[in-house]
Amino acid sequence: MNADSISDTLTTVTDSLQQAGDTGSGWILHHVMDGKEIELPFLGYIHIPQLPLVFGIDVTPTKHVVFMIIAAVLVFLTFAAVARQYKSSLIPKRLSNFFEVMIVFVRDEIAEPTLGKAYPIYLPYLLTLFFFILFGNFLGLIPFSATFTSNIAVTAALAILSFLMIQLGGIRQNGLIGYLKGLVPHGIPLWLLPLMIPVEILGLFTKPFALAIRLFANMIAGHTVILALLGLIFFMGTIFIAPVSVAFAVFIYLLEILVSLIQAYIFTMLTSLFIGMAVHQEH
Amino acid sequence: MFSELLIAVIASEGGGGGLLDVNPGLMIWTVVTFILLLLILKKIAWKPILEALDKREKEIKNSLEQAENAKDEARKILEENQANLAKAEEESKKIIEQSRTYAESLKEQMLKESKEQSKRLIDDAGDEIQRKKDAAFEELKEQIAELAVNAAERIMKENIDASKNKEIANKYLGEITKN
């Protein structure tokens, strides 16, 4: 390979990159970000039609909306089937056996230890949250799909729902006034209150904020690293880098399987923990 | 309020980079999808699944308890049986012991009785014999005396009278008896 051909390739790559985005990493962002078109293998792109604004908000379904709905439908179909199997017999079969492990895990390892006796009220929310995120994370690992859990809007919306659950759980257990009183720890000197009250109120909002950022960042990081590793082949302009790139990309991909599980667990676990802290304020 | 705050924070951080842009439409979609999914699953999946799990756990617990109870019961019955068996063995041993002592005493008694009886019989027989012997002796004495008198009479007929000879004969016979 001579210097000319290398520079030719580089020019081609750079040109295509220029088309994809403003910066050199634009094409990566283009891939992991939301968009108004869905890429189908070997078939090209489907453009989603624009919907009119509702109250000044653009509610046109995007790529992430489509995959979110696919994930929701998959969750629904899966657990409808599991429920059907349980209705016919209490003995778990293949599918129900597999998902029972996770359901029991969420119940016994997440909900019960953090929520105590009040856990059955919050269990449906936690289960839905866990499996929605889990299916979303895994759906994103399939080629040509998109990871809707790596969109900050999605994670923020989920965090807002968790925030509401936390506040409602606290108010439900302690009453509105009792809950607000309980936000400030007991035994704090009176003169510290002007400092403590803003800190505690800020603390209420940092929890879901951290939830949203954690899931978003974790899910987007793996994809970005994979794309960057594969992009190395084109940036270096040589095929000899490919084995290294692919090996690392596969490693990151496997890591992402782990991360998918862990992040679904963490999001659910922390939500449950925060609800538990709001419900049992004394501790 | 919170969502606005969050959007504001993220938008300012993102600085229009695109990655951190929050699409409010997508948030609405997420909330709607999630709440719909939650409501549907709660009714269709979570309720029956969790109830089935609870029911199964209760059933397993109950059957385990029942098994435990049955085991305890069986152990109790076994212990009872063993106790009964031991008691019965004890009793039979006692009965055998009793019957043995009874038999022993009976044997002893019977032996004593029979000994006594045989002694008595022997004594009786001895007395009888003595009596018979005495009687026989008496008779024999008389017969001998008679014979001797007759013999002496026959001898004496020739020379001396009968009375003197009888006296002499009696004297001799008395001496014989004493011996």
Side-chain angles (χ1 to χ4, degrees), chain B residues 30-45:
Chain B
T30 309
V31 170
V32 169
T33 312
F34 185 82
I35 288 176
L36 269 180
L37 187 67
L38 172 61
L39 293 178
I40 292 171
L41 282 184
K42 194 176 175 182
K43 194 164 160 29
I44 283 180

Side-chain angles (χ1 to χ4, degrees), chain A residues 79-245:
Chain A
F79 288 99
V82 171
R84 209 164 40 242
Q85 286 191 2
Y86 273 114
K87 266 179 198 156
S88 62
S89 154
L90 281 182
I91 300 157
K93 286 187 267 297
R94 271 168 280 186
L95 188 71
S96 44
N97 211 348
F98 179 71
F99 282 103
E100 184 190 310
V101 177
M102 298 194 201
I103 293 169
V104 169
F105 176 77
V106 172
R107 190 189 64 181
D108 292 349
E109 306 293 323
I110 296 178
E112 218 194 334
T114 52
L115 291 167
K117 274 181 188 163
Y119 84 90
I121 307 163
Y122 306 99
L123 194 52
Y125 174 77
L126 294 173
L127 283 169
T128 313
L129 191 65
F130 180 75
F131 287 109
F132 185 59
I133 295 173
L134 189 71
F135 275 57
N137 290 350
F138 277 130
L139 196 64
L141 291 178
I142 299 167
F144 292 102
S145 70
T147 322
F148 69 85
T149 45
S150 70
N151 190 311
I152 187 74
V154 174
T155 59
L158 291 174
I160 288 166
L161 287 174
S162 283
F163 173 79
L164 291 176
M165 280 304 283
I166 294 164
Q167 309 314 321
L168 288 176
I171 291 165
R172 189 184 165 279
Q173 183 72 24
N174 306 303
L176 182 60
I177 295 162
Y179 175 64
L180 292 177
K181 261 191 205 161
L183 285 177
V184 179
H186 285 291
I188 292 281
L190 212 63
W191 57 271
L192 260 179
L193 282 182
L195 185 66
M196 286 306 291
I197 289 169
V199 165
E200 291 295 335
I201 288 171
L202 203 62
L204 286 184
F205 295 103
T206 51
K207 285 170 193 167
F209 182 76
L211 278 181
I213 296 294
R214 182 182 297 109
L215 180 59
F216 153 73
N218 272 289
M219 291 323 294
I220 209 162
H223 287 66
T224 311
V225 170
I226 287 179
L227 290 168
L229 283 167
L230 294 179
L232 267 182
I233 303 167
F234 301 98
F235 276 111
M236 305 290 265
T238 164
I239 203 163
F240 298 112
I241 201 79
V244 182
S245 280

Side-chain angles (χ1 to χ4, degrees), chain A residues 29 32-34 57-62 64-65 68-69 72 75-76 79-80 82-83 86-87 90 92 100 103-104 107 123-125 127-129 131-132 151-154 156-158 160-161 205 208-209 216 220, chain B residues 1-7 9-10 13 17-35 37-57 59:
Chain A
L29 286 184
V32 294
M33 270 173 58
D34 206 0
I57 298 169
D58 182 9
V59 290
T60 309
T62 58
H64 284 165
V65 171
M68 185 162 66
I69 289 168
V75 173
F76 166 72
F79 288 99
V82 171
Y86 273 114
K87 266 179 198 156
L90 281 182
E100 184 190 310
I103 293 169
V104 169
R107 190 189 64 181
L123 194 52
Y125 174 77
L127 283 169
T128 313
L129 191 65
F131 287 109
F132 185 59
N151 190 311
I152 187 74
V154 174
L158 291 174
I160 288 166
L161 287 174
F205 295 103
F209 182 76
F216 153 73
I220 209 162
Chain B
M1 185 197 105
F2 171 65
S3 63
E4 284 166 14
L5 185 83
L6 195 66
I7 292 163
V9 168
I10 293 166
E13 273 183 7
L19 194 64
L20 287 170
D21 273 355
V22 176
N23 177 359
L26 185 51
M27 284 178 82
I28 292 168
W29 272 105
T30 309
V31 170
V32 169
T33 312
F34 185 82
I35 288 176
L37 187 67
L38 172 61
L39 293 178
I40 292 171
L41 282 184
K42 194 176 175 182
K43 194 164 160 29
I44 283 180
W46 303 138
K47 209 169 155 251
I49 290 173
L50 292 172
E51 272 171 7
L53 288 178
D54 272 355
K55 200 173 149 198
R56 201 185 58 202
E57 271 157 28
E59 253 170 46

Side-chain angles (χ1 to χ4, degrees), chain B residues 106-121:
Chain B
L106 198 67
K107 193 180 94 182
E108 223 134 280
Q109 199 187 341
M110 276 168 78
L111 213 63
K112 215 169 97 186
E113 262 173 32
S114 59
K115 252 184 203 165
E116 267 169 22
Q117 204 169 1
S118 58
K119 202 178 161 211
R120 209 169 56 230
L121 278 174

